[in-house]
Amino acid sequence: MEKKSLSQQTADRLYNMIVAERRMEPGEKLPNEVELARELGVSRTTLREALHALTSRNILEVRRGRGTFVSPQIAHINDYGFSDLDQLRGQLRDLFELREIFEPSAARLACLRATPEEMAEILSRGQAVDQCIRAGRDRTRADREFHAAIVRATHNEFMMRLLPMINQAVEAAVVSGEHRDQLAEDTRRDHALIMDFFQKRDAAGAEHAMAIHMHHSIDVMGLK
């Protein structure tokens, strides 16, 4: 398999940040080239090539004299039909069945493949979720970023493509459940166990801990 160029890798990273991880919303302006190149750890030339590639795919659009923006068209890429909370019960069941199959394996691969930097980010994101819960703050974004950091560390392109659905499941669980306090407490305990196995680089343990986390969520939300 032909190795991707640095600009292609950078384009993939930006695509994932925008489409899968939803760090930027449709219509949002990208940071300036200096900031973005520094964040991605690439030269401005490499960044420009990546931006050009994403512009040609209608992920980004250049507005003359104003800068580069996330294309409004990506809203349709993220639309899996889970926005109507009145119809979430069956959709949540299906989503969490997907998570129950997918995320334990992702945790195992991430535990094996994460770079030291990625491992540090996973643990940091997990701590952020815990802090949100302890402080009584909305944990939706922190929870989403924790799971995204794990999936990103698998270094599996197709797993990354499932992230929009995982994000929808995380968000829907947080906002729609009638057992929010129990879900929050389970999340704190389960995440602590997951992070403990990650710190030990225990892939089998991380896989089982994630499976337990999924089971607890399904059980509490009555999705069986």
Side-chain angles (χ1 to χ4, degrees):
M1 183 178 295
E2 183 179 354
K3 186 175 181 180
K4 291 184 178 181
S5 68
L6 184 56
S7 64
Q8 290 173 321
Q9 293 175 43
T10 304
D12 288 345
R13 288 178 62 190
L14 277 170
Y15 178 90
N16 287 330
M17 287 169 62
I18 295 167
V19 177
E21 300 174 45
R22 294 174 58 188
R23 295 195 198 179
M24 289 170 270
E25 298 297 325
E28 183 176 340
K29 184 179 180 180
L30 268 63
N32 65 50
E33 282 188 1
V34 174
E35 294 176 4
L36 194 53
R38 184 184 302 118
E39 179 182 351
L40 296 170
V42 297
S43 69
R44 293 173 69 180
T45 299
T46 297
L47 175 62
R48 288 187 190 118
E49 292 174 355
L51 294 176
H52 177 73
L54 292 180
T55 300
S56 67
R57 294 166 58 187
N58 296 319
I59 303 300
L60 300 174
E61 60 180 33
V62 178
R63 301 176 187 173
R64 192 172 300 279
R66 297 180 59 193
T68 302
F69 293 76
V70 177
S71 171
Q73 295 184 40
I74 73 151
H76 303 294
I77 298 176
N78 281 337
D79 183 8
Y80 286 86
F82 306 124
S83 57
D84 187 350
L85 296 182
D86 292 334
Q87 301 179 17
L88 270 175
R89 178 62 55 182
Q91 294 165 337
L92 272 179
R93 183 202 62 214
D94 292 348
L95 274 171
F96 273 86
E97 284 179 355
L98 172 65
R99 292 187 75 188
E100 195 173 28
I101 295 168
F102 163 69
E103 290 203 64
S105 295
R108 176 177 55 81
L109 288 177
C111 203
L112 293 170
R113 297 176 178 176
T115 65
E117 293 77 16
E118 288 170 335
M119 182 64 73
E121 182 181 9
I122 289 169
L123 298 177
S124 174
R125 299 294 188 186
Q127 290 166 0
V129 177
D130 183 74
Q131 290 167 2
C132 286
I133 294 173
R134 287 179 181 274
R137 300 195 305 269
D138 177 31
R139 72 178 191 277
T140 305
R141 181 172 181 176
D143 206 340
R144 191 174 65 212
E145 290 177 345
F146 173 63
H147 288 277
I150 291 174
V151 176
R152 190 163 53 247
T154 67
H155 297 273
N156 184 300
E157 177 182 352
F158 293 98
M159 284 189 169
M160 283 296 302
R161 293 186 184 186
L162 288 175
L163 257 182
M165 286 187 287
I166 302 306
N167 288 338
Q168 292 281 4
V170 170
E171 292 174 19
V174 173
V175 304
S176 68
E178 57 186 75
H179 305 291
R180 295 182 187 177
D181 291 342
Q182 184 63 54
L183 281 170
E185 185 56 36
D186 285 350
T187 294
R188 279 192 61 238
R189 184 182 62 249
D190 293 348
H191 280 194
L193 183 62
I194 292 166
M195 289 191 292
D196 183 54
F197 284 119
F198 267 95
Q199 285 181 310
K200 297 173 181 176
R201 290 278 184 174
D202 184 336
E207 181 176 19
H208 290 306
M210 185 63 79
I212 290 169
H213 182 39
M214 294 298 103
H215 176 76
H216 283 159
S217 297
I218 290 171
D219 188 44
V220 170
M221 296 176 70
L223 298 177
K224 291 182 177 180

